[in-house]
Amino acid sequence: MKPSFCILLIVALISCTQENKEKSENVNITKEIRDTTLVKKKNALNASYEVGFYSKSFSYYWTVGKDTLDLIINVVEYEKDSSLHLNILHEKPILFRNVLDKINECISLIEVDFNITKFSSLYFRSPIYYLDLTKELSKEYEQSFGKNRISYQKLDEFLLESALNTQLNNFLKPFDKKVKRYSIEKFQLLDKKSFSEYLQLPVSELSDYPEFTIEGMGLSVQLVDK
């Protein structure tokens, strides 16, 4: 066997081995991503300030093996009127449409523990944490107001006419609910140069973000019956 042929054969075998290894790793990754488990946990009420306000509280989240996904849906029921409130918790940015899909995914489990007809509010992180949402809102905001800060009343009116409101009302249809009003506490306009500080992402990953965004202490959504 010629030396040159031997060398080519060895290179080919190494390449095939590496390719098979990569395929095997990809299969494992896909399996892990799909192999998620929805978990619920009953939360103990803090006697110092929650008892007397909440009648019960549950958290719903997803696990992959021993890891917990970075998304928790915390649901509380108020004692005074049995109203239901969903708080969306996560540390890293996520697409807004994916959050709505995840809420839908665990509604059947939530209905076991709560009266879903009492669904009264949603609380999300600030729009900057949802790339698809912040791009749309920033575009609509600039078309209406440029980069000028507006009052809280005008902000509420703007959000009620935005694509966000259409998206949320479509999401709420099965519950016979609609959005009544929005609230963003400590509302401000945040310039893109400050995004990395909020999102804890390198500048290289912010290329798809708009030049500014609506920012504040979370996005609160009040609901009413249709």
Side-chain angles (χ1 to χ4, degrees):
M1 188 178 290
K2 295 181 179 180
S4 59
F5 180 77
C6 290
I7 293 172
L8 289 172
L9 181 61
I10 292 170
V11 170
L13 288 172
I14 292 173
S15 177
C16 288
T17 301
Q18 181 64 27
E19 182 179 355
N20 289 334
K21 180 181 178 182
E22 290 175 354
K23 287 181 178 179
S24 176
E25 289 174 348
N26 288 335
V27 168
N28 289 335
I29 290 171
T30 302
K31 182 179 179 182
E32 287 180 358
I33 290 174
R34 292 176 180 174
D35 190 22
T36 58
T37 303
L38 177 57
V39 178
K40 75 173 181 179
K41 175 187 175 185
K42 186 174 183 179
N43 300 318
L45 299 180
N46 190 318
S48 62
Y49 62 91
E50 291 179 339
V51 173
F53 291 97
Y54 301 153
S55 52
K56 55 183 170 179
S57 170
F58 279 81
S59 292
Y60 305 85
Y61 54 92
W62 290 260
T63 60
V64 181
K66 295 182 179 180
D67 297 324
T68 300
L69 297 186
D70 181 37
L71 180 65
I72 298 174
I73 299 173
N74 189 51
V75 184
V76 297
E77 179 184 88
Y78 275 80
E79 189 173 81
K80 64 179 180 180
D81 57 6
S82 300
S83 60
L84 201 63
H85 305 265
L86 274 66
N87 302 303
I88 314 304
L89 311 173
H90 54 91
E91 293 296 326
K92 300 176 182 178
I94 185 174
L95 293 178
F96 191 73
R97 62 176 179 269
N98 289 350
V99 172
L100 297 184
D101 286 343
K102 284 296 186 183
I103 296 174
N104 272 327
E105 192 176 317
C106 67
I107 282 296
S108 60
L109 200 56
I110 293 174
E111 287 180 313
V112 173
D113 306 306
F114 298 95
N115 180 359
I116 203 69
T117 64
K118 294 287 190 175
F119 192 9
S120 299
S121 76
L122 286 157
Y123 183 83
F124 301 95
R125 296 213 66 178
S126 176
I128 192 176
Y129 283 89
Y130 312 101
L131 176 59
D132 51 343
L133 177 59
T134 199
K135 286 172 69 173
E136 189 64 39
L137 285 180
S138 296
K139 178 182 176 181
E140 293 176 333
Y141 188 99
E142 188 167 21
Q143 289 173 347
S144 298
F145 311 108
K147 294 184 180 180
N148 300 310
R149 191 182 184 283
I150 59 177
S151 67
Y152 283 97
Q153 181 178 343
K154 279 191 175 182
L155 177 65
D156 185 29
E157 293 170 356
F158 161 71
L159 292 173
L160 284 170
E161 296 175 356
S162 68
L164 163 64
N165 197 58
T166 302
Q167 185 178 15
L168 276 179
N169 278 332
N170 286 336
F171 164 75
L172 292 166
K173 279 181 181 179
F175 310 106
D176 291 322
K177 302 287 182 177
K178 64 180 181 179
V179 176
K180 178 182 179 181
R181 67 180 301 268
Y182 293 92
S183 176
I184 298 180
E185 188 179 350
K186 297 186 178 180
F187 156 65
Q188 63 173 318
L189 298 181
L190 186 68
D191 192 83
K192 188 173 183 177
K193 64 184 179 182
S194 301
F195 286 8
S196 59
E197 300 173 16
Y198 280 73
L199 300 176
Q200 297 182 349
L201 291 175
V203 175
S204 59
E205 294 185 24
L206 298 174
S207 58
D208 288 338
Y209 282 78
E211 292 305 309
F212 75 98
T213 186
I214 296 170
E215 168 60 9
M217 300 294 290
L219 171 64
S220 180
V221 186
Q222 301 297 318
L223 311 178
V224 292
D225 294 333
K226 290 183 67 174

